Amino acid sequence: MKSYISKDAKAYLQKRKYDNIDIEKYSISFISKDEESFNKFCKKNEITKDDLQRLGFISSNGNMLFKNRIMFPILSFRNNIIAFGGRAIDDFGPKYLNSSDSVLYKKNRNLYFTNEFITATKKKGYAFIVEGYFDVLSLNKLGYANSASPSGTALTYQQLESVSKYTSKILICFDNDEAGLKRTWTITFPHNHPIDENNYTNFENDARAQSYMAEREAYNLGNGITEQISFS
């Protein structure tokens, strides 16, 4: 994120209140449209197309999945980078995109979180499940590193089971739109999952509003979260 080609990505991040310290702390990076430069980098580091395909970085027909995107590292529960999520900074392709399934990364099992997630979850005794990368980072900046995201509303039982190894109290904080509410209901309905429904909750405010407040009214959001956390 230090070269000229990343200036638009950096400007976007700065607009969302992420400075150089945040970029470095959360290992946020950028990949340009320039495939030639990317191929030279791979050649220099002896990374083959087969390697990239096995790691879910290029499609089965050999095309790059990520172009002109802000990149977020997706970690294993051992804090190793196993995949990436990308946020487009132009109108080409989907706004958000994750690596393909690979030998290391399974979309239905892994989540996006920072390297402090497990420590913070154990310390606080609960975890947040929010919708996107920026929701996770916004909560991290407020001191809630116990936040994770399935990068969309496609939350699975396998993901919940993975988080439940570190806490039995999980707060699901999805948008209050139809898709978010429907998926939350599917996950928390008592006959559809193996974990006690009392451990799963929705905030009244949607996750996008929380992300917006975290970037512009962090103090108010922090107070709101504190007031809304209560477990039976």
Side-chain angles (χ1 to χ4, degrees):
M1 294 288 282
K2 296 179 180 179
S3 69
Y4 177 78
I5 60 172
S6 63
K7 65 180 180 66
D8 291 340
K10 200 167 183 179
Y12 174 84
L13 289 168
Q14 289 173 342
K15 185 178 178 181
R16 297 195 66 161
K17 310 299 182 185
Y18 292 89
D19 58 22
N20 291 335
I21 295 174
D22 296 322
I23 290 170
E24 185 172 351
K25 179 177 181 179
Y26 302 122
S27 300
I28 302 171
S29 57
F30 175 72
I31 187 167
S32 72
K33 301 176 184 177
D34 188 356
E35 288 192 45
E36 185 177 350
S37 296
F38 179 75
N39 290 333
K40 285 181 180 178
F41 171 84
C42 290
K43 186 175 181 180
K44 180 180 178 180
N45 291 275
E46 299 182 346
I47 301 171
T48 68
K49 280 203 169 184
D50 286 342
D51 293 332
L52 293 171
Q53 193 167 324
R54 283 196 296 270
L55 293 173
F57 211 82
I58 63 175
S59 65
S60 57
N61 57 11
N63 294 325
M64 284 180 60
L65 287 177
F66 302 107
K67 294 181 182 180
N68 210 31
R69 289 179 180 271
I70 297 168
M71 303 291 284
F72 305 88
I74 297 175
L75 307 177
S76 70
F77 285 96
R78 294 184 177 182
N79 279 344
N80 296 314
I81 298 175
I82 56 174
F84 285 90
R87 203 284 184 192
I89 59 171
D90 56 23
D91 295 327
F92 179 79
K95 183 182 292 186
Y96 290 98
L97 186 67
N98 286 350
S99 296
S100 301
D101 277 6
S102 69
V103 293
L104 298 176
Y105 171 65
K106 302 298 179 186
K107 289 182 181 179
N108 68 346
R109 186 166 293 279
N110 296 106
L111 300 102
Y112 173 70
F113 46 75
T114 68
N115 58 14
E116 299 175 359
F117 173 71
I118 293 176
T119 301
T121 297
K122 288 180 177 179
K123 183 177 180 180
K124 292 181 181 294
Y126 60 91
F128 291 117
I129 302 293
V130 294
E131 290 213 6
Y133 314 110
F134 284 110
D135 298 314
V136 169
L137 295 182
S138 294
L139 288 171
N140 267 257
K141 290 180 70 173
L142 289 173
Y144 296 94
N146 55 325
S147 305
S149 167
S151 304
T153 58
L155 182 63
T156 67
Y157 308 127
Q158 293 95 325
Q159 289 168 329
L160 288 175
E161 287 173 343
S162 294
V163 175
S164 71
K165 293 177 182 177
Y166 308 102
T167 181
S168 62
K169 296 180 174 66
I170 300 173
L171 285 84
I172 299 174
C173 311
F174 285 169
D175 287 354
N176 279 347
D177 58 16
E178 183 178 354
L181 291 173
K182 181 177 180 181
R183 189 56 185 163
T184 302
W185 173 254
T186 301
I187 287 291
T188 59
F189 190 74
H191 299 297
N192 287 343
H193 67 82
I195 308 171
D196 185 354
E197 68 170 329
N198 291 329
N199 294 332
Y200 297 85
T201 307
N202 272 90
F203 282 160
E204 292 182 5
N205 296 327
D206 62 58
R208 285 197 188 97
Q210 291 170 20
S211 182
Y212 178 91
M213 287 180 66
E215 293 163 10
R216 294 168 177 80
E217 303 175 43
Y219 180 78
N220 291 336
L221 177 57
N223 286 342
I225 290 174
T226 301
E227 289 172 3
Q228 292 184 74
I229 296 172
S230 61
F231 299 109
S232 57

